[in-house]
Amino acid sequence: EVQLVESGGGLVTPGRSLRLSCIGSGFTFGDYAMSWFRQAPGKGLEWISFIRSKAHTGTTEYAASVKGRFTISRDDSKSIAYLQMNSLKAEDTAVYFCSRALRTAVAGVKYYFDYWGQGTRVTVSS
Amino acid sequence: ETVMTQSPATLSVSPGERATLSCRASQSVTNNLAWYQHKAGQAPRLLIYGASTRATGIPARFSGSGSGTEFTLSISSLQSEDFAVYYCQQYNDWPPWTFGQGTKLEIK
């Protein structure tokens, strides 16, 4: 059974840092791209970060709202994806979800997201 | 960036009835459209990908249709566990992957 479990959330003051972890099980972690999403209070889902599998370069993508402040990485030996969040702002307050990405290449490379974790809550407040 | 718009924001339907949710893209996403179900405190659940293909384990009462810019998620004979928020997401033009604002399906 595929499982994704996020951890590392909590209460942090503005300007500080936090690192989230997402551990995967039930699949060969290194074979898949991974992504992070978030849901701010009362809002919908927002994509924030993506990392390809090493077989497909291992490169990363970021939403404009977090680019330059957040860094996604992966340790395939531990089946973990990380999200390092620096210079946190009040508007980063949200539940953060990780997700496994499925790659399709029928008409160009596309990724959609088939399994998600339950999320970890991050609150940025003084 | 492709903007996704869902309607209605809230849909009230009685158990056993049919629900029809709509999603519109600001530009063509061909059939690179997914639908997710999300309940508070739970992981989002992939229902449909490729606009019309049910994901693993998704009951046949869920069906997706459409292509280009107009899409529909239909749920026939609503069960109690189907009341949730539903999101469409395009994965044609990325990054970013973009979602609609969601449709809350509530019990009438």
Side-chain angles (χ1 to χ4, degrees):
Chain A
E1 179 193 6
V2 173
Q3 286 195 314
L4 295 168
V5 179
E6 304 92 339
S7 62
L11 174 63
V12 61
T13 53
R16 301 299 293 264
S17 299
L18 207 57
R19 188 178 79 162
L20 306 183
S21 300
C22 167
I23 185 163
S25 60
F27 64 103
T28 303
F29 189 86
D31 287 349
Y32 292 87
M34 299 295 294
S35 201
W36 287 92
F37 298 81
R38 67 184 179 185
Q39 184 176 35
K43 303 294 185 181
L45 295 170
E46 177 191 14
W47 167 77
I48 57 172
S49 188
F50 172 83
I51 185 167
R52 295 170 179 81
S53 67
K54 288 196 167 52
H56 294 111
T57 74
T59 50
T60 59
E61 308 286 350
Y62 296 95
S65 57
V66 305
K67 195 168 188 176
R69 300 188 298 124
F70 290 13
T71 302
I72 189 172
S73 60
R74 62 190 300 152
D75 184 340
D76 293 342
S77 69
K78 296 180 180 178
S79 298
I80 299 178
Y82 298 103
L83 185 68
Q84 177 67 43
M85 306 187 295
N86 297 333
S87 303
L88 282 161
K89 307 174 183 180
E91 51 264 41
D92 296 318
T93 294
V95 177
Y96 285 72
F97 301 92
C98 69
S99 179
R100 185 179 85 164
L102 277 183
R103 185 178 188 271
T104 71
V106 174
V109 175
K110 316 290 182 188
Y111 289 91
Y112 64 95
F113 306 96
D114 63 344
Y115 287 96
W116 298 60
Q118 290 193 308
T120 186
R121 185 175 301 275
V122 173
T123 302
V124 185
S125 174
S126 54
Chain B
E1 174 176 325
T2 303
V3 177
M4 307 301 292
T5 304
Q6 291 184 241
S7 61
T10 303
L11 184 61
S12 300
V13 183
S14 300
E17 298 290 302
R18 182 181 190 87
T20 301
L21 289 66
S22 297
C23 174
R24 173 177 292 177
S26 61
Q27 60 187 325
S28 176
V29 299
T30 65
N31 68 334
N32 294 309
L33 190 285
W35 288 95
Y36 299 89
Q37 178 192 69
H38 192 206
K39 299 178 182 178
Q42 297 188 18
R45 180 190 184 195
L46 174 67
L47 300 173
I48 300 286
Y49 64 94
S52 60
T53 303
R54 277 189 302 276
T56 303
I58 301 304
R61 64 179 182 273
F62 292 89
S63 63
S65 63
S67 66
T69 61
E70 301 284 343
F71 301 90
T72 299
L73 174 70
S74 297
I75 314 170
S76 64
S77 189
L78 278 162
Q79 308 295 302
S80 57
E81 63 265 28
D82 298 336
F83 293 95
V85 179
Y86 291 83
Y87 295 94
C88 62
Q89 180 206 43
Q90 68 82 23
Y91 55 94
N92 187 67
D93 170 34
W94 63 273
W97 289 264
T98 49
F99 293 87
Q101 77 278 24
T103 291
K104 181 180 180 181
L105 181 58
E106 63 177 27
I107 299 175
K108 186 174 183 179

